[in-house]
């Protein structure tokens, strides 16, 4: 459950003069079963999203259209990923704090998630996250 596990997954791209196609299958292209799909769109310029971590949720984030930055932080290391291609997915493992910014106009952020929505699964306070992240019960 640290930053080293979070990585860009290169999704398959079927190139075609009529338009490209990318497909995703749970457990084959992403390391979890997909239980939920959501997308963020109509993001006003200068907006910041995220600002939380998940206790158990695994996610794959894709810039379906446009681009944005995701800053991942596990309390020790911090890394910025610039997503700008529909065939790149950023895998985010549990217990990673994330911020999202630098959304281009008309960007669409698609998220595949390993579980249904549950507010209980969120840390929305960085200090609480850090406390649990580095408590002995969560040492990995
Ligand atoms: P949040 O996860 O904080 O969005 P982001 O990380 O993109 O900034 O969710 C924003 C709001 O939407 C929050 O009130 C919870 C709600 N929400 C749902 O009801 N269902 C969902 O599947 C998601 C992802 C969020």
């Amino acid at each position: 459950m640290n930053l080293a596990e979070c990585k860009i997954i290169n999704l398959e791209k079927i190139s075609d003069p009529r338009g490209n196609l990318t497909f995703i299958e749970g457990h084959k292209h992403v390391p979890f079963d997909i239980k939920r799909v959501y997308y963020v769109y109509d993001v006003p310029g200068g907006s910041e999203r995220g600002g939380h971590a998940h206790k158990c949720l695994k996610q794959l984030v894709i810039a379906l259209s446009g681009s944005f930055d995701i800053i991942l932080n596990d309390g020790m290391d911090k890394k910025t990923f610039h997503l700008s291609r529909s065939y790149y997915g950023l895998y985010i493992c549990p217990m990673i704090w994330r911020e999202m910014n630098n959304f281009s106009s008309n960007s669409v952020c698609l998220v595949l998630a390993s579980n249904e929505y549950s507010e209980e699964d969120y840390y929305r306070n960085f200090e609480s996250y850090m406390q649990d992240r580095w408590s002995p019960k969560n040492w990995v």
Side-chain angles (χ1 to χ4, degrees), residues 36-40 48-52 54 57 59 98 100 103 109 111 113 115-119 122 124:
R36 175 167 50 118
V37 175
Y38 65 91
Y39 35 98
V40 178
E48 306 208 332
R49 299 206 54 121
H52 55 76
H54 287 283
L57 195 71
Q59 292 170 301
R98 89 285 314 270
M100 300 170 72
F103 287 88
C109 168
V111 183
N115 235 324
E116 289 87 6
Y117 170 73
S118 163
E119 190 58 35
Y122 280 75
R124 292 201 183 268

Side-chain angles (χ1 to χ4, degrees), residues 4-5 17-18 21 28 32-33 49-51 58-59 66 69 74-76 104-106 111 120 138-140:
E5 277 183 58
R18 299 170 303 160
L21 183 152
K28 197 164 167 191
F32 54 84
D33 266 337
R49 299 206 54 121
K58 298 171 182 169
Q59 292 170 301
D69 290 342
D74 67 3
M76 288 278 273
S104 70
S105 57
N106 291 322
V111 183
E120 302 295 297
N138 285 318
W139 285 356
V140 287

